[in-house]
Amino acid sequence: MSKLPVVSGKECIKALEKIGFVTFRQRGSHITMVRENPQCQVTIPNHKTVAKGTLRSIIKQVDLTVDEFIELL
């Protein structure tokens, strides 16, 4: 298992767009993204750096491994 990278909210959003996520809505600095198939919804904080625990949770919610996420970056 690879080490978790330090990424910004924008980088995380771009990576998720590559696997079919689209922006659903934004409330403050948090952006909600959805995917139709398989159905999934995840909220990304649009900050300069996403906390490691938050990033690990996002990766787990979208059913990816850390290595697969790094490849998307």
Side-chain angles (χ1 to χ4, degrees), residues 4 50-58:
L4 210 57
V50 177
K52 289 196 181 279
T54 304
L55 183 59
R56 189 171 301 279
S57 175
I58 291 168

Side-chain angles (χ1 to χ4, degrees), residues 11-28:
E11 292 171 328
C12 187
I13 289 167
K14 285 183 182 180
L16 293 180
E17 285 175 343
K18 292 178 184 177
I19 57 170
F21 280 87
V22 294
T23 301
F24 178 64
R25 70 180 182 145
Q26 180 171 352
R27 187 162 185 154

Side-chain angles (χ1 to χ4, degrees), residues 17-71:
E17 285 175 343
K18 292 178 184 177
I19 57 170
F21 280 87
V22 294
T23 301
F24 178 64
R25 70 180 182 145
Q26 180 171 352
R27 187 162 185 154
S29 65
H30 289 73
I31 298 171
T32 301
M33 301 185 78
V34 295
R35 178 178 61 189
E36 290 298 320
N37 196 7
Q39 191 172 12
C40 184
Q41 177 177 325
V42 65
T43 302
I44 312 294
N46 193 13
H47 300 156
K48 288 183 180 177
T49 58
V50 177
K52 289 196 181 279
T54 304
L55 183 59
R56 189 171 301 279
S57 175
I58 291 168
I59 292 170
K60 193 179 289 187
Q61 286 178 41
V62 299
D63 202 28
L64 292 175
T65 64
V66 175
D67 293 326
E68 290 170 339
F69 182 76
I70 291 171
E71 287 178 21

